[in-house]
Amino acid sequence: MAPPVRVLVAKPGLDGHDRGAKLVARALRDAGFEVVFTGIRRRVDSIAATAVQEDVALVGLSILSGAHLPLTRRTVEALRAFGADDIPVVVGGTVPAQDIDRLYEAGAAAVYPTGTPLATIVAGIRTLTTAPEAPSNPEE
């Protein structure tokens, strides 16, 4: 049996509200992921360092402060600086519809605005962290 996929749930910046992040972390844990939770008010360089140290397959940012664009961009850049630009970053929280495309441009692999069903988040993260299955018949 393969070990569980490790994901990092992080609260960057000055935002101190972590209820949503904890709900997502619990849903991921219940779905079989191994979740590393950073706690609140983390610097992006600390988040990137933790992602590398913990060898995670994905970083999830929970942002309610309105600073989602610069925090996402800086997290993606920090991961790149650590040589970990292969780790996808997903963003959840208070994200206005007009900022979703801008988050993708900043390097987000997925965006989950407040109110996204937990099952949708889990399924999306599973898709981002699971290698495609090899075909059963290589000649197909």
Side-chain angles (χ1 to χ4, degrees), residues 2 12 28-29 33 41 49 52-54 58 64 71 77 80 86 93 104 109 115-117 119 128 133 139:
L28 291 169
R29 182 204 64 195
F33 290 89
R41 298 185 183 103
V52 171
Q53 180 181 2
E54 295 291 338
L58 179 135
L64 303 175
L71 288 171
E77 290 169 357
R80 187 176 304 125
D86 59 328
Y104 284 114
T116 301
L128 287 168
E133 292 184 36
E139 295 184 25

Side-chain angles (χ1 to χ4, degrees), residues 3-4 8 13 28 32 55 59 62 67 84 87 95 104 122 124-125 129:
L8 178 71
L28 291 169
D55 194 27
V59 171
S62 173
I87 299 175
V95 178
Y104 284 114
V122 169
I125 290 175
T129 59

Side-chain angles (χ1 to χ4, degrees), residues 41-130:
R41 298 185 183 103
R42 298 297 177 197
R43 295 172 48 126
V44 295
D45 57 337
S46 172
I47 292 168
T50 301
V52 171
Q53 180 181 2
E54 295 291 338
D55 194 27
V56 299
L58 179 135
V59 171
L61 301 178
S62 173
I63 307 170
L64 303 175
S65 66
H68 46 275
L69 291 168
L71 288 171
T72 299
R73 187 175 301 108
R74 288 176 39 215
T75 301
V76 169
E77 290 169 357
L79 285 167
R80 187 176 304 125
F82 275 96
D85 53 338
D86 59 328
I87 299 175
V89 174
V90 301
V91 181
T94 307
V95 178
Q98 66 268 22
D99 287 347
I100 293 174
D101 286 340
R102 294 172 65 193
L103 283 167
Y104 284 114
E105 291 168 9
V111 179
Y112 303 105
T114 302
T116 301
L118 291 173
T120 301
I121 296 170
V122 169
I125 290 175
R126 189 176 311 284
T127 298
L128 287 168
T129 59
T130 304

Side-chain angles (χ1 to χ4, degrees), residues 8-32:
L8 178 71
V9 175
K11 293 288 301 173
L14 299 177
D15 180 11
H17 300 280
D18 62 357
R19 181 175 179 214
K22 287 179 177 177
L23 286 171
V24 170
R26 183 175 182 166
L28 291 169
R29 182 204 64 195
D30 291 350

